[in-house]
Amino acid sequence: MRPNQLFRILLVTLVAIPSLPQGAVAEEGWSLRGLVQSLFGEGDDPATGEGPYPDPTVPRQPDAASPVPAVPVPGDAVGADRRVPGGNAEIQLSFAPLVKETAPAVVNVYAARAVPARQSPFANDPFFGQFFGQRFDSRPRMESSLGSGVIVDATGLVVTNNHVVADADEVRIAFADGREFQTTVLLKDDKVDLAVLKIDGEGPFPMLAMANSDGLEIGDLVLAIGNPFGIGQTVTNGIVSALARTHIGVNDFGFFIQTDAAINPGNSGGALIDMQGQLVGVNTAIFSRSGGSNGIGFAILSNMVASFVRAAREGDRFEQPFLGAGFAPVTPDIAEALGLDRPTGALVHEVGGGTPAAEAGLEVGDVILTVGDVAIDSPDALGYRLATTGIGGVAKLQILRGDERLALDLPLQPAPETPPRDERVLGGDTPFAGTTVLNLSPRVASELDLPMNKTGVVVTAVARGSYAARFGLRPRDILLTLNGETIESTEALETMLGGRFLGWRFELERDGRRMAQMVR
């Protein structure tokens, strides 16, 4: 820049400013440095006289020479009196009060189980066993898993994930303050992936109240509290990214909150809370290619958790209500044929005689549109709504039948155990030796995740090294015929196995496929 150009710029600047701004005048007249700092907002702070950066915690006094007064910093932004952010203008506030209130109710869960010792391959050999039988034997070892849990009752009821405590011989919980307690497992279910523990100690304990998860909306702020990677209790924040996520392979109900709050291994069973400090979900799974959080976490909704805890208090198993009907999703083609604006609802494609669905008046071809005031988008949504309503309740349905919309009351009942299960362990010199079998009923079918309309005899367990294991029998196999005769019950099967045969020809059903086998 040429000297004459610089002179012109300074001249125009001086002419444009009628008086020198505060900060440009020093004790011995004015300085160019003070002028530049004042023009670009880097002068000494008028309240403190210190510069070049003002203290943000000190309210700035309005400048008489400035047409726009400075905005004071909110007093709640500093000091001990903090509160949850209420808007963008308060984003500098803290979640600390909410965390202090809720974090004590989130605990670490330690589960341990004894793994049997590896047996020597020569242990049962009559000759080599005396030389090598003990050489390869090892002492039992303990395997442990680590997760998180949430206290939902001041008496000491803790909710966690089933996969945290599955097959555990001992389960302990630890508070963030270092206290540890033994627990008793009251109820666990791999279909829901939830478990309820009872702390072996005197309360009251800190707890979280459960929110109505139906009130959640996409975009709501949430906090995830847990023990990721076993490093200690941590808190992460995010929003509700999506609701009613399905088909993620975690449980049979397929209904989850999706959140971008960081969830990592060890967070399982931890709390997902809203801005009122209430439990809206139990953190359960993540979608990850690396094993760490990618901002896609899933939590079981608090309404499902509440229904599960209610079953644990009553000392009963958790189960879905038995309807005696089959449902399918409404496809775009079906929606168009039915005159629906969009594909929604659960299409009834099967109704069993004498079942609650039949008694309520459901018919094949009906489309269930709502349960109560809540719209049903899919069969998964229907199953979730009925499960959270619970056994003993009544679901008020709105259905579409042809061009009519009808209201039906559906009683929610447990699946019947007819015929009685009559459990038997089969032995002898037969292909079924080593199996545990039950009579199939709607209740047994529900427990084993089999179609409700199946009848006959089902395998529930196969002993290792048994004839049944050698011939390939598996749990959940439905035994149909033996040497041409239909297998109607466990008693009939045991009687048939007592006869003498030159060979064994039997048929079974596995995962919907019919299979035949011949053994001589």
Side-chain angles (χ1 to χ4, degrees), residues 28-39:
E28 298 180 359
W30 69 278
S31 67
L32 182 61
R33 176 176 178 272
L35 175 62
V36 173
Q37 287 180 338
S38 65
L39 290 175

Side-chain angles (χ1 to χ4, degrees), residues 300-321:
I300 299 173
L301 290 142
S302 58
N303 285 359
M304 176 64 79
V305 177
S307 184
F308 192 84
V309 172
R310 184 166 58 248
R313 284 195 179 105
E314 294 171 357
D316 197 6
R317 62 184 292 268
F318 180 80
E319 59 180 313
Q320 268 190 297

Side-chain angles (χ1 to χ4, degrees), residues 35-169:
L35 175 62
V36 173
Q37 287 180 338
S38 65
L39 290 175
F40 291 92
E42 295 182 354
D44 294 341
D45 187 271
T48 64
E50 298 177 355
Y53 302 104
D55 184 353
T57 64
V58 178
R60 182 180 294 274
Q61 300 299 323
D63 187 354
S66 174
V68 181
V71 178
V73 177
D76 289 344
V78 293
D81 296 332
R82 299 178 181 177
R83 60 187 177 85
V84 175
N88 291 335
E90 302 175 347
I91 199 65
Q92 67 267 40
L93 303 184
S94 175
F95 288 110
L98 186 60
V99 174
K100 289 178 183 178
E101 178 185 351
T102 58
V106 181
V107 297
N108 299 336
V109 178
Y110 301 91
R113 71 183 183 98
V115 179
R118 187 179 61 176
Q119 192 176 34
S120 166
F122 302 103
N124 298 321
D125 189 276
F127 176 75
F128 291 102
Q130 57 185 322
F131 301 105
F132 305 105
Q134 304 297 324
R135 177 166 296 185
F136 299 98
D137 288 350
S138 59
R139 289 184 296 178
R141 56 187 177 86
M142 296 297 292
E143 282 188 352
S144 61
S145 62
L146 177 65
S148 305
V150 188
I151 302 177
V152 295
D153 191 293
T155 61
L157 291 185
V158 182
V159 175
T160 186
N161 286 135
N162 176 76
H163 70 260
V164 173
V165 300
D167 302 322
D169 299 316

Side-chain angles (χ1 to χ4, degrees), residues 384-403:
Y384 168 78
R385 291 296 164 191
L386 298 181
T388 53
T389 302
I391 302 293
V394 175
K396 295 187 176 299
L397 309 180
Q398 184 186 70
I399 67 167
L400 177 66
R401 179 178 295 165
D403 296 330

Side-chain angles (χ1 to χ4, degrees), residues 201-237:
E202 294 186 3
F205 297 99
M207 58 163 287
L208 289 184
M210 280 188 264
N212 181 359
S213 52
D214 287 345
L216 274 180
E217 295 184 4
I218 297 173
D220 283 349
L221 281 170
V222 288
L223 299 182
I225 309 177
N227 184 15
F229 299 110
I231 61 175
Q233 191 177 82
T234 60
V235 180
T236 55
N237 81 292

Side-chain angles (χ1 to χ4, degrees), residues 425-500:
V425 179
L426 303 178
D429 189 15
T430 73
F432 303 101
T435 59
T436 302
V437 293
L438 302 177
N439 288 327
L440 261 176
S441 65
R443 192 177 186 88
V444 171
S446 174
E447 294 173 8
L448 299 178
D449 196 23
L450 292 170
M452 293 289 186
N453 58 354
K454 296 298 180 182
T455 59
V457 174
V458 63
V459 177
T460 59
V462 179
R464 293 182 60 184
S466 64
Y467 283 135
R470 191 177 305 174
F471 292 124
L473 289 176
R474 302 177 188 173
R476 298 180 68 249
D477 284 348
I478 301 174
L479 305 180
L480 303 176
T481 66
L482 176 61
N483 292 336
E485 294 186 38
T486 301
I487 301 173
E488 296 181 349
S489 66
T490 56
E491 181 181 6
L493 175 59
E494 197 167 44
T495 300
M496 294 163 66
L497 293 176
R500 291 183 173 274

